[in-house]
């Protein structure tokens, strides 16, 4: 299981889409993680215990040093009982938000040029909307998310093999699937054509303490 650092430089990616400024997103992650932790009156040790992320990494994240990988961000969002989108949000959510095609946050870059772009997220109930693109043969594997998490996929083009906790299913263009996001899972582009799919992640609200 390989997670690559967030690749969010300014400018355009190979598909011509503009990618948000890396420093702005890094500062937002630092501020949002620190705010979420202090709002809960958690120490760094408490957050480390709840998330499985080491204290040294948490210190670096809150100080805006380096780019945390997508796996780290997912573990933090699960610990806080919120969406990953809230951790990378640069500004507060307005009453109406329209996301242009080039305004998503690229949180995963594949070795062959694929990418996972977080388009937007909401908190009532917690949900995320993603745009995924995989090159032929490219794959992405994910750790289990918070208990009860579900993922809904709609394949726009190509073919993708879905792997969830030992189960395998094939999805072709125009098809849709729902899978258990709280189990180990992954997506593999099969065939000779790139694949693209949108994905909605439904995150259960945190249990009362």
């Amino acid at each position: 299981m390989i997670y690559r650092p967030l690749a969010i430089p300014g400018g355009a990616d190979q598909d011509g889409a503009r990618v948000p400024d890396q420093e702005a997103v890094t500062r937002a992650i630092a501020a949002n993680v620190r705010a979420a932790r202090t709002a809960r009156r958690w120490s760094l040790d408490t957050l480390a215990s709840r998330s499985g992320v080491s204290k040294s990494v948490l210190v670096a994240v809150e100080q805006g040093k380096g780019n945390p990988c997508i796996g780290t961000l997912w573990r933090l969002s699960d610990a806080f009982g919120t969406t990953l989108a809230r951790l990378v949000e640069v500004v507060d959510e307005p009453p109406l938000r329209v996301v242009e095609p080039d305004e998503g946050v690229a949180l995963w870059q594949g070795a062959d040029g694929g990418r996972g772009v977080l388009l937007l997220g909401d908190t009532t109930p917690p949900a995320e909307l993603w745009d995924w693109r995989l090159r032929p043969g490219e794959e992405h594997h994910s750790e289990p998310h918070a208990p009860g998490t579900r993922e809904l996929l709609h394949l726009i083009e190509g073919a993708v093999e879905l792997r969830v906790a030992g189960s395998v299913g094939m999805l072709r263009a125009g098809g849709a699937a729902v899978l258990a996001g709280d189990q180990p899972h992954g997506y593999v582009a099969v065939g000779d054509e790139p694949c693209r799919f949108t994905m909605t992640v439904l995150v259960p609200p945190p249990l009362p303490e």
Side-chain angles (χ1 to χ4, degrees):
M1 186 179 304
I2 299 176
Y3 288 107
R4 299 181 180 277
L6 303 189
I8 318 177
D13 65 12
Q14 64 183 36
D15 292 315
R18 183 180 62 79
V19 185
D21 177 75
Q22 177 177 334
E23 292 186 3
V25 175
T26 300
R27 289 194 301 270
I29 292 172
N32 292 337
V33 169
R34 186 166 55 251
R37 180 177 64 81
T38 56
R40 291 163 175 76
R41 298 182 180 178
W42 291 355
S43 66
L44 286 168
D45 288 327
T46 299
L47 179 55
S49 175
R50 287 174 175 264
S51 66
V53 177
S54 70
K55 184 176 179 179
S56 61
V57 171
L58 292 176
V59 170
V61 168
E62 291 196 2
Q63 292 180 349
K65 297 179 179 178
N67 299 317
C69 69
I70 190 172
T72 295
L73 293 177
W74 259 321
R75 286 192 288 271
L76 290 174
S77 63
D78 288 347
F80 289 135
T82 186
T83 64
L84 188 150
R86 294 302 298 171
L87 297 186
V88 302
E89 200 73 66
V90 177
V91 296
D92 291 335
E93 194 73 24
L96 171 64
R97 179 183 178 191
V98 175
V99 178
E100 298 295 338
D102 62 352
E103 291 182 341
V105 180
L107 292 179
W108 179 79
Q109 299 281 354
D112 298 321
R115 59 179 181 154
V117 178
L118 178 59
L119 298 175
L120 55 82
D122 198 10
T123 57
T124 52
E128 300 168 354
L129 181 62
W130 290 77
D131 174 24
W132 279 90
R133 304 184 189 196
L134 299 177
R135 303 296 178 184
E138 198 167 34
E139 57 186 271
H140 173 70
H141 297 282
S142 178
E143 298 177 351
H145 307 318
T149 299
R150 308 289 284 178
E151 295 185 1
L152 284 68
L153 286 74
H154 176 226
L155 189 62
I156 300 171
E157 58 185 30
V160 64
E161 182 179 271
L162 304 176
R163 302 174 180 177
V164 185
S167 297
V168 178
M170 184 68 68
L171 191 60
R172 302 192 182 279
V178 58
L179 60 88
D182 55 4
Q183 302 292 322
H185 57 284
Y187 332 107
V188 183
V190 297
D192 299 326
E193 300 294 328
C195 78
R196 180 181 182 184
F197 58 90
T198 56
M199 178 176 69
T200 300
V201 181
L202 303 176
V203 184
L207 296 174
E209 298 187 12

mmCIF file of all heavy atoms in Angstrom, residues 21 41 51 78 120 177 197 200:
data_model
loop_
_atom_site.group_PDB
_atom_site.id
_atom_site.type_symbol
_atom_site.label_atom_id
_atom_site.label_comp_id
_atom_site.label_asym_id
_atom_site.label_seq_id
_atom_site.Cartn_x
_atom_site.Cartn_y
_atom_site.Cartn_z
ATOM 1 N N ASP A 21 -2.906 26.119 -5.033
ATOM 2 C CA ASP A 21 -1.582 26.409 -4.511
ATOM 3 C C ASP A 21 -1.263 25.521 -3.314
ATOM 4 O O ASP A 21 -2.034 25.432 -2.359
ATOM 5 C CB ASP A 21 -1.519 27.882 -4.105
ATOM 6 C CG ASP A 21 -0.180 28.223 -3.473
ATOM 7 O OD1 ASP A 21 0.803 28.323 -4.225
ATOM 8 O OD2 ASP A 21 -0.142 28.378 -2.248
ATOM 9 N N ARG A 41 -10.426 19.840 22.966
ATOM 10 C CA ARG A 41 -9.548 19.858 24.134
ATOM 11 C C ARG A 41 -8.694 18.602 24.206
ATOM 12 O O ARG A 41 -8.458 18.045 25.285
ATOM 13 C CB ARG A 41 -10.375 20.037 25.420
ATOM 14 C CG ARG A 41 -11.141 21.354 25.458
ATOM 15 C CD ARG A 41 -11.908 21.524 26.758
ATOM 16 N NE ARG A 41 -12.639 22.787 26.786
ATOM 17 C CZ ARG A 41 -13.414 23.178 27.787
ATOM 18 N NH1 ARG A 41 -13.560 22.407 28.863
ATOM 19 N NH2 ARG A 41 -14.047 24.344 27.723
ATOM 20 N N SER A 51 -5.942 8.544 16.388
ATOM 21 C CA SER A 51 -5.791 8.501 14.928
ATOM 22 C C SER A 51 -4.782 7.465 14.441
ATOM 23 O O SER A 51 -4.830 7.053 13.280
ATOM 24 C CB SER A 51 -5.372 9.877 14.412
ATOM 25 O OG SER A 51 -4.065 10.216 14.885
ATOM 26 N N ASP A 78 -11.042 10.679 10.282
ATOM 27 C CA ASP A 78 -11.784 9.630 10.993
ATOM 28 C C ASP A 78 -11.749 9.864 12.502
ATOM 29 O O ASP A 78 -12.755 9.692 13.196
ATOM 30 C CB ASP A 78 -11.193 8.253 10.678
ATOM 31 C CG ASP A 78 -11.502 7.783 9.267
ATOM 32 O OD1 ASP A 78 -12.370 8.392 8.619
ATOM 33 O OD2 ASP A 78 -10.860 6.815 8.809
ATOM 34 N N LEU A 120 -15.502 18.608 -3.443
ATOM 35 C CA LEU A 120 -16.111 19.359 -2.341
ATOM 36 C C LEU A 120 -16.547 18.399 -1.255
ATOM 37 O O LEU A 120 -16.543 17.192 -1.442
ATOM 38 C CB LEU A 120 -17.295 20.205 -2.839
ATOM 39 C CG LEU A 120 -18.429 19.500 -3.602
ATOM 40 C CD1 LEU A 120 -19.411 18.836 -2.648
ATOM 41 C CD2 LEU A 120 -19.184 20.506 -4.467
ATOM 42 N N ALA A 177 -21.688 1.533 -8.450
ATOM 43 C CA ALA A 177 -21.450 0.551 -7.394
ATOM 44 C C ALA A 177 -21.437 1.246 -6.047
ATOM 45 O O ALA A 177 -21.179 2.446 -5.945
ATOM 46 C CB ALA A 177 -20.117 -0.172 -7.627
ATOM 47 N N PHE A 197 -14.072 8.110 -12.862
ATOM 48 C CA PHE A 197 -15.313 7.923 -12.131
ATOM 49 C C PHE A 197 -15.470 8.988 -11.067
ATOM 50 O O PHE A 197 -14.488 9.553 -10.571
ATOM 51 C CB PHE A 197 -15.384 6.518 -11.494
ATOM 52 C CG PHE A 197 -14.272 6.169 -10.547
ATOM 53 C CD1 PHE A 197 -14.377 6.436 -9.194
ATOM 54 C CD2 PHE A 197 -13.130 5.540 -11.017
ATOM 55 C CE1 PHE A 197 -13.354 6.094 -8.311
ATOM 56 C CE2 PHE A 197 -12.097 5.185 -10.140
ATOM 57 C CZ PHE A 197 -12.212 5.459 -8.793
ATOM 58 N N THR A 200 -18.790 9.406 -4.295
ATOM 59 C CA THR A 200 -19.311 10.083 -3.114
ATOM 60 C C THR A 200 -19.002 9.230 -1.888
ATOM 61 O O THR A 200 -19.336 8.044 -1.856
ATOM 62 C CB THR A 200 -20.832 10.304 -3.212
ATOM 63 O OG1 THR A 200 -21.121 11.115 -4.353
ATOM 64 C CG2 THR A 200 -21.358 11.000 -1.964
#
